[in-house]
Structure formats: C-alpha cells, structure tokens
Amino acid sequence: MQHEVSFYPKACCFVERSLFFSFGRKVVLHAVTNHDFLFFNNCSHETINCNTVHKPEWLFEKNPRGKVPVIERDNEIIYESDITSRYINSCYGSSKQLVTQDQLQRAKEEVLLGDLDKAISGFFVYGRAKDDEGRSNGTKLMEESFKSLEKFLCSNKQPYIGGSHPGISDFMHWPFVQRIAVRHRDLLSQNTTVNGYYERMLTNESVKACKHPDSLEAQFWVGYFKGAPVYDIFAEKGAAL
C-alpha cells in the first residue's frame, strides 16, 4: 500500500492522477474512520492534512460545507464520514468482510450506533463544562453509551459489534471510545465489558497504524478545550499524521 502525507495550510494544488486523496486530520474524530478503512483495505492514498479551525479556502472548494473528511479520485469528490467510509469499503473492500451480511443484525448495529452517539456528546459536554454540574452531565452521557455497548456485546456474546472480528460499525464507533480512553481512562475502566472491547480494538492492525500516542492526544485536547488547539503538535513531536 502506498501512503503519502501532506500538509497544505493555505494553498492547495494537485496533479491529476489516479491516486486516491483523503482530506482531513487523524485528530478529527470523523476523519479517523476514513483512515482506518483506507489502511484496512490496503488502499494506496495520499492524506492531505488541513487546519480545521482556520479553514483554508481550498477546503470549501472541495466541500462547500467546509468539513472533513473529504475524499477525491479522478476529480470526483464525496464527503461526510459515513458516506465516504462505506464508499471506500464498497469500492476497495478486501476479502475480509466488514459489513454484516445478516440484514436484521446489521440494522441492530445501526440502531446501536445511534445510542452510542451519547459517547461523543458526553465527551464534549464534559470538556466544555464550566462547573461540576456540566461535568456530571457529560459523565452521565458517556456512562449511558457504555451501558448500551455493554448490553449489545453481552447479548450477542461476541467480542466486537460486528461479530467475531471488527466490522464497519466497530470502526465507526472506535474514534469516540479511543478519545474517551485518553481523557477518561478511569471511567472506561469501570465498565469491564467496554474496557475489554477497547483493549481488543487496540490490537487491530488498522487501529495501530492510525492511532496517535495517547500522550499527544491528551495534550491536544487540553488545548482544544481551552480554545487554543495546536493541530501541528503531532508533526512537531514526530508522530505520524
């Protein structure tokens, strides 16, 4: 697999070729899933990193919504995390099956992902809270999300949401679990089922290839919630983007 990383803060010019471009940052939660899928499917690509606080003009040219991730190939562009991830898997999917084939089970996974949205809501509610009540509300949302995941895993008696191995639903939810573990490890450890799930996901090759060191992640989020995120901290410290 060929993988190139570039950073274009202001101007951006691309040579027309068949290389697959992925626009985003691995620290942006919804862009993480795209990176996982690209690595999982052994898809040659170039990652174009950009500042998502002071957004460059070329990002809006690629996506009028000004959001990442965005993917481009042969001058065709699509965006939105769920859409791009499913597109990558459908076009470049390997022999390893990511999408659950049983329609009812797949529907249950999608329902679960809706319940798991509380995890990331709680993460940001807690981080932006100005008092104990706000932090308590954030904690409650994260705990409710953990309970939903625990119930699902125990009910299906499988190690992953997707069954015996990580599937598309696992990669969709993983970025949120991983960020919570960075800032709220004690909260994660209190739920043995979810903590076990977290530890198993850490052994996945795609996860390992796309994961930043926890120490740098923690440092980034401290700055983020103070209103001064340093997106280049990973490059400065020599971590892969």
Side-chain angles (χ1 to χ4, degrees), residues 11 50-51 98-99 120 125 135 151 186 222 237:
C50 67
N51 191 317
L98 277 179
V99 179
I120 198 57
V125 168
R135 286 185 283 273
K151 181 179 179 180
D186 56 336
V222 169
K237 299 295 184 180

Side-chain angles (χ1 to χ4, degrees), residues 65-90:
R65 301 174 186 176
K67 297 180 179 181
V68 296
V70 179
I71 61 175
E72 176 180 357
R73 185 177 185 186
D74 298 329
N75 296 318
E76 295 290 344
I77 297 173
I78 61 173
Y79 37 82
E80 296 298 334
S81 178
D82 289 359
I83 296 171
T84 54
S85 294
R86 294 182 188 280
Y87 172 79
I88 292 168
N89 186 64
S90 62

Side-chain angles (χ1 to χ4, degrees), residues 26-34 36 81 120 123 168-182 197 201 207 217 221:
K26 275 169 54 180
V27 74
V28 179
L29 293 174
H30 291 289
V32 176
T33 304
N34 264 18
D36 287 337
S81 178
I120 198 57
F123 179 81
I168 190 169
S169 298
D170 294 281
F171 288 117
M172 290 288 188
H173 183 54
W174 167 250
F176 311 126
V177 176
Q178 195 261 319
R179 269 53 180 189
I180 290 175
V182 168
Y197 171 80
M201 284 295 293
V207 167
E217 282 274 3
W221 288 110

